[in-house]
Amino acid sequence: VQLQASGGGLVQAGGSLTLSCIASGPFSSYGMGWFRQAPGKERVFVAAVMWSSGITYYADSVKGRFTISRDNAKKMVYLRMDSLRPEDTAVYYCANRMRPWTSGLAKRLVSEYQVWGQGTLVTVSS
C-alpha cells in the first residue's frame, strides 16, 4: 500500500483547510493517523481514526478545531482543520496502522504506524 497526502497550502490565521490522504494498492488498515512536523521539531501526533468503527482520537492541541474522518469505500482519510493558528504550521503526514495498537497510547506514537505518506505543507500566516 502507498499513501498520498494532499490539500496543504497557505492560509491566514483563523482560516480552514482540509487535507486528504488516499491509499493505493492492496489496503489493510486497523487505523489511520495524521501527524505533523514543524521545522526543527519532532513529528507529533495530531489525530487518529479507527478504520472499522470510525472512533476518533485527537491531540489536546487540536481538539475542537480539527476533525478526522475516513471513507472506507474510497480508501481515504481526511483532516478538516478549522480556526488555524500560526503554530499549526507544519508538514502534515498521514499514516496507516495495519494491526491493533499495542496500547491505548500507542496510536499517538510514530513507531506504531507501518506506512507513511509523503507529507503536505500547511503554512498559517498571522
Side-chain angles (χ1 to χ4, degrees), residues 29 31 35 47 57 122:
S29 180
F35 287 74
Y57 306 87
V122 173

Side-chain angles (χ1 to χ4, degrees), residues 88-121:
D88 295 317
T89 294
V91 177
Y92 284 72
Y93 298 88
C94 57
N96 184 41
R97 169 75 181 181
M98 292 185 286
R99 299 181 298 275
W101 282 294
T102 54
S103 70
L105 294 178
K107 59 183 68 65
R108 300 172 183 268
L109 301 179
V110 170
S111 60
E112 287 282 319
Y113 293 80
Q114 289 83 31
V115 182
W116 290 82
Q118 85 287 4
T120 184
L121 176 62

Side-chain angles (χ1 to χ4, degrees), residues 7-84:
L10 175 64
V11 62
Q12 288 188 332
S16 298
L17 277 177
T18 298
L19 306 183
S20 301
C21 177
I22 187 167
S24 59
F27 180 68
S28 174
S29 180
Y30 186 78
M32 295 282 290
W34 285 98
F35 287 74
R36 67 187 181 186
Q37 188 166 16
K41 296 190 177 182
E42 294 183 345
R43 192 171 300 187
V44 297
F45 172 77
V46 174
V49 60
M50 302 282 281
W51 194 254
S52 177
S53 66
I55 296 173
T56 58
Y57 306 87
Y58 296 95
D60 289 343
S61 59
V62 306
K63 200 173 294 182
R65 300 189 298 122
F66 290 12
T67 303
I68 188 171
S69 61
R70 90 274 189 250
D71 186 322
N72 298 54
K74 295 182 178 179
K75 297 190 295 183
M76 292 190 70
V77 63
Y78 306 95
L79 186 68
R80 168 75 179 185
M81 306 184 293
D82 296 315
S83 303
L84 282 161

